[in-house]
Amino acid sequence: MEYVVAIPSYQRPETLKNKTLRLLQDYEIEPQRIHIFVANKKEEENYRNSLEPDSYHKLIRGRKGVKN
């Protein structure tokens, strides 16, 4: 089965690391299936500094606007 776990997140890198990613790891979800969406460049920096790089596949910075 092909799927991706898309996680929108804002100002909660520690919660994401300690709860969400840990739960996915407990359920043996492969990190390459995990995509994390953040709001802006500052958030992207915070998440990159807080999360283990091998705990997710992509960290995607959003663009302003509903259609994006």
Side-chain angles (χ1 to χ4, degrees):
M1 177 195 311
E2 292 294 319
Y3 67 91
V4 173
V5 177
I7 304 170
S9 190
Y10 184 69
Q11 295 184 349
R12 59 183 194 104
E14 292 302 317
T15 300
L16 183 72
K17 178 170 78 174
N18 296 326
K19 294 184 179 182
T20 308
L21 293 176
R22 182 165 290 154
L23 176 73
L24 292 172
Q25 182 181 21
D26 289 348
Y27 280 94
E28 299 180 356
I29 303 299
E30 300 164 331
Q32 61 265 26
R33 296 189 179 276
I34 301 171
H35 296 186
I36 302 168
F37 292 81
V38 296
N40 53 46
K41 189 172 184 168
K42 183 179 178 186
E43 287 289 301
E44 181 181 15
E45 241 176 71
N46 290 340
Y47 279 76
R48 287 202 191 279
N49 291 332
S50 297
L51 301 177
E52 296 296 324
D54 61 345
S55 65
Y56 63 93
H57 180 62
K58 290 185 182 179
L59 188 60
I60 302 162
R61 183 178 353 134
R63 294 182 297 182
K64 192 172 183 177
V66 173
K67 70 177 185 167
N68 297 322

